[in-house]
């Protein structure tokens, strides 16, 4: 995590690792042949149960690798020194639209402040795009506040305009059918006000909190570790476990290369050692643009329908433009983006299933322990990490267990972390709570226009309007994203040819539109045409049960494992 990633892999069996990866290595200024390496292992007198096995003592490996490269360098897991115990406000991480999350961003001294506890430890790999990590952090930390404030402002604006507390600057009327009767409902500025509030809070909520001294406290290596003072930087990196020990939550910004980074896996092992899974948040960074595209396009389509109406009727231009916005921007564009991100999202289950910390990439090993630019000797980070993991043997295994620490970590991630991650965010779905804080918000804000009509009508018509608004917000909203992503990753896919790529997008977008049209019809028709309220209630029950089953079925399909779990390891 603290250095560029490489493509080299390694095995804890040093004999196999050395024989297959490096026949000759320059150590301490000379040539170190494989035969000399084997002789050094024999001279060090390994215990009989470790010779040639998967649990070769890594201290012996360090001797064979040469003392000069790692002398005096050791990872620690104890309390951090006071001058290293630093945290930074999340507003600084999100400043300038996440410039600090870019790999090629400017290096600087630490901008953190001393803290007894760290609110959130942000774990990520620097090879992924900073813009995607920025959007992911907005979803994690700002989307709930943005949703609550946007819906509240929409409700206040609608009620104030309905009761003439404030003059209506822009409004229209809609014809709403309820039980075979048509009612005239006046639309206010509530939806537009909600959109403005949502965007402001989404982007600047942490900045607003920082003015009150309440911004989230986080650890981001680039800001909390001095990048200019090499001595301080080395001390902080070697004491990385101490930062996790004083952190309340772990946020993993997952990218397809995350589980291939040795330093990232060291951070995860430090956290798993503490057994605090409930305080872990995993966010695939490629999910964020899909969520934002769907949310903003739906908001645009809703506003076009509302404010394109005149005296209760949509003119031809407004109806055509709204249909185009909904179909092309609201369905086709998210489908196209989802298709291109499907491979990365779909690779998560398989990556967890076949995870091995032995295969994680390490910059020093991939460059033969020689810096490609400065040509200086590089100490072996892999040796340091493996050595520390061996010291945590009792945290990952039970007494009498014959597996090594590395095997226990692999097993823990495959059998415990995998189902937990996929249950929250799987290969082709987003968590329901996240969808409520994003895609459902446009529907919630637009239904605030119904509040004056519900108060005026009262009784059964008001109940039916309210039930219709609830179904649109809590069923249709989440289902839009779910259907888009499920259809995008389903079946055959081809991105090699532009014509085939666009054709598949159109076909899958059309299928998505048809499914969503059916869902909309099921929601609207019982409220509009059927006189008995029981039909609407029955339809609502069917829709709610189907939505729950739709989401839970997707989770179970992703979580379904391939083997038994040994409960003794947990």
């Amino acid at each position: 995590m603290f250095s560029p990633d490489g493509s080299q892999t390694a095995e804890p069996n040093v004999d196999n690792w050395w024989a297959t990866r490096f026949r000759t290595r320059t150590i301490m200024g000379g040539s170190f042949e494989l035969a000399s390496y084997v002789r050094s292992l024999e001279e060090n007198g390994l215990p009989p149960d470790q010779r040639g096995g998967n649990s070769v003592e890594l201290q012996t490996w360090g001797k064979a690798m040469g003392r000069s490269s790692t002398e005096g360098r050791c990872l620690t897991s104890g309390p951090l020194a006071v001058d290293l115990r630093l945290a930074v406000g999340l507003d600084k991480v999100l400043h300038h639209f996440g410039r600090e999350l870019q790999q090629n961003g400017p290096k600087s001294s630490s901008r953190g402040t001393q803290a007894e506890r760290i609110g959130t430890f942000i774990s990520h790999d620097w090879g992924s795009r900073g813009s995607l990590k920025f959007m992911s952090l907005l979803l994690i930390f700002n989307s709930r506040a943005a949703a609550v404030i946007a819906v509240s402002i929409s409700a206040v604006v609608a009620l104030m305009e309905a009761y003439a507390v404030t003059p209506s600057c822009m409004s229209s009327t809609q014809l709403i059918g309820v039980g075979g009767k048509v009612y005239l409902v006046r639309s206010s500025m509530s939806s537009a006000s909600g959109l403005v509030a949502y965007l402001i809070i989404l982007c600047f909520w942490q900045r607003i909190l920082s003015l009150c001294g309440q911004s989230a406290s986080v650890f981001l290596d680039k800001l909390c570790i001095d990048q200019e003072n090499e001595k301080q930087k080395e001390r902080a990196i070697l004491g990385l476990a101490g930062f996790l020990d004083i952190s309340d939550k772990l946020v993993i910004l997952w990218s397809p290369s995350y589980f291939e980074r040795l330093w990232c896996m060291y951070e995860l092992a430090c956290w798993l050692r503490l057994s605090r899974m409930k305080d872990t948040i995993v966010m695939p960074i490629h999910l964020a643009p899909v969520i934002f595209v769907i949310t903003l396009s739906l908001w645009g389509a809703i506003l076009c329908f509302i404010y394109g109406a005149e005296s209760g009727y949509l003119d031809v231009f407004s109806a055509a433009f709204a249909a185009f916005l909904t179909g092309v921007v609201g369905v086709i564009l998210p489908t196209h983006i989802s298709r291109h991100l499907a491979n990365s999202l779909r690779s998560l289950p398989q990556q967890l299933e076949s995870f091995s910390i032995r295969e994680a990439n390490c910059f020093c090993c991939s460059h033969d322990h020689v810096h490609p630019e400065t040509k200086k000797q590089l100490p072996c980070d892999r040796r340091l990490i493996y050595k520390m993991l061996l010291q945590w043997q009792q945290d990952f295994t039970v007494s009498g267990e014959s597996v090594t620490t590395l095997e226990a970590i692999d097993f823990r991630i495959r059998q415990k972390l995998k189902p937990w991650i996929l249950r929250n965010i799987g290969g082709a779905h987003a968590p329901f709570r996240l969808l409520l804080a994003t895609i459902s918000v446009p529907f919630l804000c637009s239904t605030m226009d119904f509040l004056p009509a519900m108060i005026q009508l009262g009784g059964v018509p008001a109940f039916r309007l309210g039930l219709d608004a609830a179904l649109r917000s809590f069923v249709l909203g989440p289902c839009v994203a779910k259907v888009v992503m499920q259809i995008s990753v389903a079946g055959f896919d081809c991105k090699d040819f532009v014509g085939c790529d666009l054709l598949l997008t159109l076909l899958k977008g059309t299928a998505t539109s048809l499914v969503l049209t059916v869902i909309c019809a099921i929601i609207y028709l019982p409220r509009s045409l059927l006189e008995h309220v029981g039909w609407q209630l029955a339809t609502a029950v069917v829709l709610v049960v189907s939505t729950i089953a739709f989401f839970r079925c997707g989770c179970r399909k992703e979580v379904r494992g391939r083997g038994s779990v040994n409960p003794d390891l947990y």
Side-chain angles (χ1 to χ4, degrees):
M1 153 175 195
F2 296 98
S3 56
D5 28 293
S7 58
Q8 212 66 40
T9 59
E11 298 288 338
N13 184 329
V14 220
D15 298 316
N16 294 338
W17 180 85
W18 193 277
T20 57
R21 300 300 193 272
F22 301 108
R23 290 283 178 176
T24 304
R25 180 182 297 272
T26 301
I27 294 181
M28 301 176 65
S31 177
F32 192 82
E33 299 294 331
L34 177 61
S36 301
Y37 163 70
V38 175
R39 282 197 301 272
S40 70
L41 291 177
E42 294 173 350
E43 293 171 358
N44 283 309
L46 290 178
D49 60 335
Q50 291 184 348
R51 292 176 184 174
N54 287 331
S55 57
V56 174
E57 186 66 37
L58 295 177
Q59 286 85 345
T60 304
W61 178 26
K63 296 177 183 178
M65 292 287 290
R67 289 180 180 273
S68 62
S69 61
T70 55
E71 188 69 34
R73 192 169 183 261
C74 183
L75 288 171
T76 62
S77 60
L80 282 172
V82 177
D83 61 325
L84 297 179
R85 193 175 297 181
L86 303 177
V88 66
L90 184 59
D91 60 299
K92 294 182 179 179
V93 177
L94 301 177
H95 191 54
H96 291 304
F97 298 97
R99 183 179 62 180
E100 303 296 343
L101 296 167
Q102 299 290 346
Q103 182 179 10
N104 55 358
K107 293 184 179 180
S108 63
S109 58
S110 173
R111 279 172 267 178
T113 57
Q114 289 189 1
E116 288 297 321
R117 299 288 302 177
I118 298 175
T120 302
F121 187 104
I122 300 177
S123 179
H124 66 111
D125 73 272
W126 283 106
S128 54
R129 292 176 57 184
S131 58
L132 297 180
K133 290 184 281 190
F134 169 73
M135 288 187 285
S136 299
L137 290 176
L138 291 183
L139 287 179
I140 295 172
F141 290 97
N142 293 359
S143 60
R144 289 187 183 181
V148 172
I149 294 176
V151 173
S152 300
I153 288 180
S154 296
V156 170
V157 170
L159 292 174
M160 291 179 67
E161 290 189 0
Y163 293 105
V165 177
T166 59
S168 178
C169 301
M170 179 180 180
S171 64
S172 61
T173 55
Q174 301 180 60
L175 295 178
I176 304 297
V178 180
K181 299 180 181 180
V182 178
Y183 298 91
L184 192 65
V185 177
R186 183 187 179 199
S187 300
S188 66
M189 283 289 293
S190 59
S191 296
S193 302
L195 173 60
V196 173
Y198 187 82
L199 293 177
I200 292 175
I201 300 301
L202 184 68
C203 295
F204 303 109
W205 178 241
Q206 295 301 321
R207 181 61 178 169
I208 295 172
L209 290 178
S210 69
L211 298 177
C212 306
Q214 299 295 323
S215 180
S217 169
V218 302
F219 172 89
L220 183 70
D221 48 4
K222 186 177 180 181
L223 297 180
C224 297
I225 295 178
D226 197 326
Q227 304 295 310
E228 294 181 339
N229 188 324
E230 291 298 327
K231 183 178 179 180
Q232 285 290 93
K233 180 179 179 179
E234 181 81 354
R235 289 178 60 212
I237 292 175
L238 295 178
L240 186 62
F243 289 102
L244 286 149
D245 288 342
I246 62 173
S247 298
D248 297 324
K249 290 184 179 181
L250 173 69
V251 167
I252 297 176
L253 300 180
W254 179 85
S255 61
S257 57
Y258 179 83
F259 285 100
E260 300 173 359
R261 304 294 189 263
L262 185 60
W263 275 107
C264 292
M265 293 304 94
Y266 175 67
E267 294 172 355
L268 185 56
C270 293
W271 189 254
L272 292 177
R273 174 178 64 96
L274 304 174
S275 300
R276 292 160 62 181
M277 287 301 304
K278 64 178 182 179
D279 299 320
T280 308
I281 299 174
V282 181
M283 170 60 72
I285 60 174
H286 295 91
L287 182 65
V290 177
I291 297 294
F292 280 126
V293 167
I294 297 175
T295 301
L296 296 179
S297 59
L298 283 176
W299 220 315
I302 290 172
L303 290 177
C304 185
F305 270 115
I306 291 177
Y307 299 118
E310 293 182 0
S311 302
Y313 298 96
L314 282 171
D315 58 56
V316 176
F317 174 78
S318 297
F321 182 74
F324 171 81
L325 193 64
T326 305
V328 176
V329 182
V331 177
I332 302 298
L333 182 59
T335 300
H336 190 72
I337 294 177
S338 297
R339 282 187 52 242
H340 283 260
L341 298 178
N343 288 333
S344 61
L345 294 173
R346 196 159 41 187
S347 67
L348 176 57
Q350 181 59 36
Q351 198 176 62
L352 291 168
E353 178 71 28
S354 59
F355 172 79
S356 174
I357 196 171
R358 302 167 178 83
E359 301 298 326
N361 296 326
C362 187
F363 177 73
C364 58
C365 295
S366 64
H367 290 85
D368 204 6
H369 296 89
V370 177
H371 198 284
E373 296 179 359
T374 64
K375 305 303 179 183
K376 292 183 179 180
Q377 189 82 10
L378 291 176
C380 186
D381 291 340
R382 188 182 300 274
R383 173 183 176 267
L384 292 178
I385 292 175
Y386 284 3
K387 182 179 179 181
M388 176 57 71
L389 294 180
L390 282 178
Q391 296 179 17
W392 294 340
Q393 177 96 11
Q394 69 279 5
D395 295 321
F396 290 97
T397 60
V398 296
S399 59
E401 197 71 43
S402 60
V403 297
T404 64
T405 308
L406 303 183
E407 293 169 341
I409 292 175
D410 292 347
F411 193 86
R412 178 79 63 93
I413 290 177
R414 293 174 188 171
Q415 300 297 338
K416 184 176 181 180
L417 187 67
K418 175 195 170 185
W420 187 90
I421 289 179
L422 299 183
R423 191 178 298 113
N424 289 271
I425 299 179
H429 71 275
F432 190 78
R433 288 179 294 180
L434 177 61
L435 298 181
L436 289 180
T438 52
I439 297 176
S440 293
V441 179
F443 294 103
L444 283 168
C445 291
S446 65
T447 55
M448 292 301 107
D449 290 334
F450 290 172
L451 287 177
M454 291 171 62
I455 295 174
Q456 182 180 1
L457 294 174
V460 174
F463 171 78
R464 300 183 74 164
L465 275 178
L467 184 58
D468 175 77
L471 291 177
R472 282 203 297 171
S473 302
F474 300 110
V475 173
L476 180 59
C479 283
V480 169
K482 179 69 172 178
V483 170
V484 167
M485 288 187 283
Q486 285 290 135
I487 294 180
S488 297
V489 303
F492 171 77
D493 211 338
C494 176
K495 305 182 182 70
D496 298 332
F497 303 99
V498 176
C500 182
D501 187 26
L502 295 177
L503 179 60
L504 281 173
T505 295
L506 291 175
L507 290 176
K508 292 189 174 183
T510 302
T512 301
S513 300
L514 292 175
V515 174
L516 294 178
T517 300
V518 172
I519 296 176
C520 290
I522 296 175
I523 292 176
Y524 288 117
L525 291 180
R527 180 259 286 171
S528 303
L529 302 179
L530 302 176
E531 296 184 5
H532 199 284
V533 70
W535 288 105
Q536 190 180 10
L537 283 172
T539 304
V541 172
V542 171
L543 284 171
V544 171
V545 172
S546 301
T547 301
I548 295 173
F550 191 29
F551 277 84
R552 291 183 66 87
C553 180
C555 292
R556 288 177 180 174
K557 183 178 179 181
E558 297 290 352
V559 172
R560 190 176 298 123
R562 302 179 183 177
S564 60
V565 179
N566 183 0
D568 294 335
L569 288 180
Y570 311 125

